[in-house]
Amino acid sequence: MPASPSTARAINDRLALDLLQRDGPLTAGQLKQLTGLSRPTVADLVERLTASGLIEVAGESGEQRRGPNAKLYGIVAERAHLAALDVRTEGVAVLVSDLLGRVLAEASAPIDGQYGTGPAVEQAVGLVERAAKEAGADRLHTIGIGAPGLIDPASGELRDSTGLPEWHRRLMAALQEKFPEARVGVENETNLAALAEQRDGAARGRDTFVLLWLGLGIGAAVVLDGTLRKGVSGGAGEIGFMPVPGTAGLPSATDCDGGFHSVAGAAAVTALAAEHGATERPARPEPHAAAALVREAVRRSASGGDPAAERFLDALADRVVLGAAAVVSVLDPGCVVLAGEIGRAGADTLADRVQDRLTRMSPLATEVRPSILGGGAVLRGALLTARDRAQDELFAPPER
């Protein structure tokens, strides 16, 4: 059945807004060419979107052209302000952006939960308040949070998990109370990193891949046919619990010791480095200490083929490939991205070693790539999801 006039207008408006988001600002003539719509239809939607406050004249296309046809139209970036948070066990990073995703303010701070859940939550909320003020945002439209742990599919909140600070779970409600007009959402950090790598990083252009998060804990994000797969309980990718060779026992429902986490988590990597001659442990909390040891081994390997560094990196790749091979054999993703603090520290050196072992172990052709976005992947993913959510609401047709 043909679309009703109101439905057609809504479809045309959203098409134009998406183009302005991707390519803008654009002239009416360029919108006509890119959408394939008639000149009167484009003129109508430009007038309608301008009246609604979603787009505005952003300049002219060239000094030689004047008049209505030369006007450049762009999305009103100040229509909404967004906040994105990367919540770590030891602190928080936050940024505030406009509707186009342009970063207006950034801040980060360590947070010590030992002083109590309440003070930790107050610190985190205060950091967001200060960033919003610096950005000139009177109110926040959408707040996206990236945090470790499982997200309850029913409530959309972080589940109670052993080993994670209580203030993580309280933060979402506290932000909603402080910014009552904002839409507040939380997503697993690994999932957000995967979305960012797909949009702007190592998995750009791929609609199927797996991101392995190698850090304090171990996790995976699964993107199949362009869709992030979370599982029935939100636990897709919890490969830290996956049984692998080389452990003393088996994991349990409440403890991933004995699983892949036991051989590739930050503590295990630090111990492995010590076995291969690392006598000095960096005075930093895990997983940063493990990442520093990996980064130093990569440096020594590149500068002259240090035998101890080579052996350590080979042993680390032997462990990482256990998880990669298991994931590949089940999902056949065609691409595995190594992320997290340890994956980033290993960079191409570790990815190449894992690639070599995976090629020998699996008949399924799979590329192994290091993260491109580095430590900003989670924050970038949180911003992308906040922006998409805000635009879905603001760009929706008005209810009648």
Side-chain angles (χ1 to χ4, degrees):
M1 294 179 61
S4 67
S6 60
T7 300
R9 285 194 296 270
I11 292 172
N12 293 339
D13 288 356
R14 185 58 192 259
L15 175 59
L17 287 164
D18 287 344
L19 287 169
L20 290 169
Q21 164 68 49
R22 189 192 72 187
D23 302 328
L26 299 169
T27 65
Q30 290 170 324
L31 283 171
K32 174 183 177 298
Q33 182 180 9
L34 291 170
T35 61
L37 299 172
S38 68
R39 190 178 301 278
T41 300
V42 170
D44 181 52
L45 74 83
V46 166
E47 182 179 355
R48 187 166 54 249
L49 293 175
T50 302
S52 69
L54 286 173
I55 69 172
E56 63 184 353
V57 176
E60 292 189 346
S61 61
E63 293 185 4
Q64 303 305 317
R65 296 181 60 194
R66 297 295 180 188
N69 292 334
K71 291 180 179 178
L72 283 167
Y73 296 93
I75 291 173
V76 180
E78 295 76 22
R79 180 65 185 272
H81 288 96
L82 321 170
L85 285 78
D86 180 5
V87 179
R88 308 275 95 196
T89 54
E90 73 280 1
V92 172
V94 59
L95 62 79
V96 176
S97 83
D98 61 22
L99 185 57
L100 291 175
R102 293 186 298 224
V103 176
L104 305 174
E106 294 183 84
S108 62
I111 294 179
D112 191 346
Q114 292 182 345
Y115 292 112
T117 298
V121 170
E122 289 177 10
Q123 270 187 280
V125 172
L127 190 69
V128 178
E129 284 186 287
R130 290 192 295 275
K133 183 177 181 180
E134 181 184 340
D138 295 330
R139 55 186 289 268
L140 293 175
H141 182 281
T142 306
I143 301 174
I145 306 169
L150 290 176
I151 309 300
D152 188 319
S155 67
E157 298 178 352
L158 273 171
R159 292 166 122 187
D160 188 9
S161 303
T162 57
L164 293 177
E166 175 64 21
W167 66 267
H168 283 196
R169 295 184 62 241
R170 301 280 184 86
L171 181 57
M172 184 176 174
L175 285 169
Q176 190 67 80
E177 182 178 352
K178 177 59 67 173
F179 304 96
E181 296 179 334
R183 292 86 179 146
V184 183
V186 63
E187 181 56 87
N188 173 266
E189 59 178 353
T190 306
N191 288 343
L192 290 179
L195 293 176
E197 293 286 354
Q198 183 185 33
R199 192 82 63 94
D200 302 316
R204 189 170 185 176
R206 298 199 65 98
D207 62 0
T208 295
F209 71 99
V210 169
L211 181 139
L212 289 187
W213 184 275
L214 308 173
L216 182 63
I218 298 292
V222 179
V223 178
L224 301 177
D225 301 323
T227 302
L228 178 68
R229 307 292 180 176
K230 301 182 183 181
V232 173
S233 62
E238 286 296 313
I239 61 171
F241 288 86
M242 183 170 61
V244 294
T247 62
L250 292 173
S252 70
T254 58
D255 192 345
C256 58
D257 282 346
F260 184 42
H261 170 83
S262 294
V263 298
V269 172
T270 299
L272 183 66
E275 292 174 16
H276 288 82
T279 57
E280 186 174 333
R281 173 170 174 168
R284 303 180 66 189
E286 297 289 12
H288 304 291
L293 291 167
V294 173
R295 194 174 296 109
E296 174 63 15
V298 169
R299 186 194 66 77
R300 286 162 44 204
S301 173
S303 64
D306 183 293
E310 296 283 345
R311 288 193 297 271
F312 167 55
L313 292 170
D314 285 339
L316 178 58
D318 288 341
R319 295 185 176 195
V320 173
V321 78
L322 296 176
V327 167
V328 166
S329 67
V330 174
L331 298 175
D332 187 18
C335 177
V336 173
V337 177
L338 302 185
E341 292 84 357
I342 294 166
R344 297 196 304 271
D348 287 305
T349 301
L350 179 60
D352 289 346
R353 280 171 160 80
V354 175
Q355 173 82 76
D356 179 64
R357 286 155 177 78
L358 187 59
T359 300
R360 297 199 303 266
M361 290 176 65
S362 173
L364 306 177
T366 309
E367 292 183 74
V368 180
R369 304 174 180 177
S371 163
I372 288 179
L373 298 180
V378 175
L379 204 56
R380 176 65 179 162
L383 175 59
L384 287 170
T385 55
R387 191 184 73 185
D388 288 349
R389 185 178 179 189
Q391 290 182 353
D392 283 343
E393 179 176 320
L394 292 171
F395 294 175
E399 296 182 5
R400 295 186 180 275

